[in-house]
């Protein structure tokens, strides 16, 4: 399932449950109610304040605290579900990359006068799930989730802006590098192209990306290419051969081998899984 909503308390999220909400490839929104709550982020137990909205980045492992008795709301969605356009994809990537890495999150305290928004989101997402046909469900859920993220961008933007003004040169360059990847990776896969656009040497770019993300420029390019491939496989009606051509592969088998290695399953299997 590309998105979902869960009401979590106690041991509702456990590895033994094979829960879709636990998959690392999901982005997650947590609505913490007026009693607060605690849960495990990447095996570290964290306490969250009452009336807060938590934006959880791609790659985070969540597990609920078995001793917790306070309920919270969990909304999860995949990148392919949210990214209906290049703008959506770039926005999503930039919004969550502001957290720095997959072990962090962004927290927004909801003012008391906006607490009704909890019920608004819960009610309308539940309504979306009950609509028929499924295409209507997806459109409603997409619009609600997008609104949450856009509001998060507005309210968190002022707070983060001062921090970004003080960020190191390396962080600013890497942020721009990741934006360029999302815009051009279908056509450009060479580190030298991005280094030229950023006006730094490939060696300097390597130093910056290792410092900020722990990864090499090539690894970040590959990750960006896989994201685009997943979005096309999940959301487009293009054949796998057409997708391979669009991503710069003249041989469908070469693309399939690349995707299988990086994603852990073949393009055909990935597409079929999202149709279930």
């Amino acid at each position: 399932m590309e998105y979902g909503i869960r009401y979590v308390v106690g041991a509702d999220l456990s590895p033994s449950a094979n829960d879709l909400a636990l998959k690392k490839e999901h982005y997650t929104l947590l609505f913490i109610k007026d009693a607060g709550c605690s849960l495990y982020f990447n095996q570290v137990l964290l306490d969250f304040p009452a009336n807060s909205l938590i934006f959880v980045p791609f790659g985070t492992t969540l597990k609920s605290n078995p001793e917790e008795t306070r309920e919270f709301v969990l909304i999860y969605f995949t990148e392919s579900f949210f990214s209906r356009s290049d703008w959506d994809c770039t926005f999503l990537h930039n919004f969550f990359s502001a957290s720095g890495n997959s072990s962090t999150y962004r927290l927004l305290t909801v003012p008391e006068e906006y607490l009704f928004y909890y019920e608004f989101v819960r009610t309308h997402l539940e309504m979306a799930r009950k609509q028929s046909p499924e295409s209507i469900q997806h459109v409603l859920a997409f619009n609600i989730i997008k609104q949450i993220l856009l509001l998060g961008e507005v309210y968190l933007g002022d707070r983060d802006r001062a921090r970004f003004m003080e960020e190191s040169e390396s962080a600013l360059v890497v942020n721009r590098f990741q934006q360029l990847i999302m815009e051009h990776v279908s056509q450009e896969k060479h580190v030298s192209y991005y280094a030229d656009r950023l006006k730094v040497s490939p060696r300097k770019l390597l130093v910056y990306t290792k410092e900020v993300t722990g990864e090499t420029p090539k690894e970040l390019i590959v990750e960006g290419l896989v994201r685009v491939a997943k979005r096309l496989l999940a959301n487009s009606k293009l054949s796998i051969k057409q997708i391979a051509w669009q991503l710069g592969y003249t041989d469908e088998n070469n693309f399939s081998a690349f995707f299988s290695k990086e994603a852990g399953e073949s393009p055909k299997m990935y597409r079929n899984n999202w149709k279930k």
Side-chain angles (χ1 to χ4, degrees):
M1 187 70 176
E2 292 184 286
Y3 77 97
I5 179 170
R6 290 283 308 278
Y7 302 90
V8 181
V9 65
D12 285 352
L13 292 180
S14 63
S16 60
N18 193 28
D19 199 314
L20 284 173
L22 291 169
K23 285 191 172 183
K24 285 189 176 183
E25 58 263 32
H26 287 127
Y27 294 87
T28 309
L29 308 175
L30 304 176
F31 282 86
I32 310 302
K33 299 164 72 175
D34 55 7
C37 81
S38 62
L39 71 157
Y40 286 91
F41 261 61
N42 292 331
Q43 302 176 344
V44 177
L45 184 62
L46 299 178
D47 287 300
F48 292 108
N51 302 328
S52 57
L53 175 59
I54 316 297
F55 300 93
V56 184
F58 182 95
T60 303
T61 300
L62 298 177
K63 186 177 74 170
S64 53
N65 179 5
E67 300 178 1
E68 180 61 82
T69 60
R70 298 168 292 181
E71 183 186 68
F72 64 92
V73 180
L74 181 152
I75 301 167
Y76 60 91
F77 62 95
T78 65
E79 182 168 304
S80 59
F81 168 78
F82 185 86
S83 299
R84 308 299 174 90
S85 68
D86 289 341
W87 186 93
D88 291 336
C89 188
T90 301
F91 169 79
L92 182 69
H93 180 73
N94 290 339
F95 178 79
F96 280 96
S97 67
S99 302
N101 58 62
S102 61
S103 65
T104 60
Y105 55 87
R106 306 180 79 184
L107 185 151
L108 177 63
T109 300
V110 181
E112 187 174 349
E113 59 268 30
Y114 293 114
L115 291 180
F116 71 91
Y117 195 61
Y118 283 119
E119 293 305 318
F120 173 86
V121 169
R122 292 170 63 176
T123 300
H124 284 77
L125 275 176
E126 286 293 349
M127 287 174 59
R129 292 173 62 184
K130 297 174 183 176
Q131 297 303 310
S132 181
E134 189 173 316
S135 58
I136 296 180
Q137 297 179 27
H138 279 220
V139 171
L140 287 172
F142 167 76
N143 287 329
I144 293 169
I145 291 172
K146 189 170 185 177
Q147 183 182 41
I148 296 170
L149 295 185
L150 289 173
L151 287 172
E153 176 71 11
V154 170
Y155 286 106
L156 289 169
D158 289 339
R159 188 186 74 185
D160 291 342
R161 199 163 288 116
R163 178 174 63 83
F164 287 144
M165 292 293 288
E166 300 174 357
E167 273 190 338
S168 65
E169 179 184 355
S170 59
L172 295 173
V173 169
V174 171
N175 182 53
R176 178 58 180 153
F177 176 43
Q178 292 176 318
Q179 292 178 27
L180 288 172
I181 289 172
M182 298 313 299
E183 294 168 5
H184 301 288
V185 73
S186 295
Q187 295 79 36
E188 298 290 346
K189 302 171 182 62
H190 294 98
V191 174
S192 58
Y193 168 82
Y194 296 97
D196 288 344
R197 290 288 301 269
L198 295 165
K199 296 181 172 27
V200 298
S201 68
R203 182 175 179 80
K204 178 65 76 172
L205 184 57
L206 171 62
V207 171
Y208 284 165
T209 61
K210 291 291 286 186
E211 176 187 335
V212 175
T213 70
E215 297 181 274
T216 67
K218 185 62 177 177
E219 288 170 335
L220 292 175
I221 291 170
V222 167
E223 289 175 5
L225 185 59
V226 171
R227 288 192 185 98
V228 174
K230 285 183 174 181
R231 187 170 79 247
L232 291 172
L233 288 166
N235 295 329
S236 78
K237 295 183 179 180
L238 296 173
S239 69
I240 293 175
K241 184 175 182 178
Q242 289 172 319
I243 291 173
W245 273 87
Q246 187 164 321
L247 297 180
Y249 286 86
T250 56
D251 188 323
E252 179 183 347
N253 292 329
N254 289 341
F255 167 69
S256 294
F258 162 79
F259 186 89
S260 298
K261 176 184 175 183
E262 300 298 332
E265 57 186 340
S266 69
K268 183 178 180 180
M269 185 179 299
Y270 183 86
R271 170 168 274 177
N272 288 341
N273 285 338
W274 285 120
K275 289 181 179 179
K276 291 180 179 179

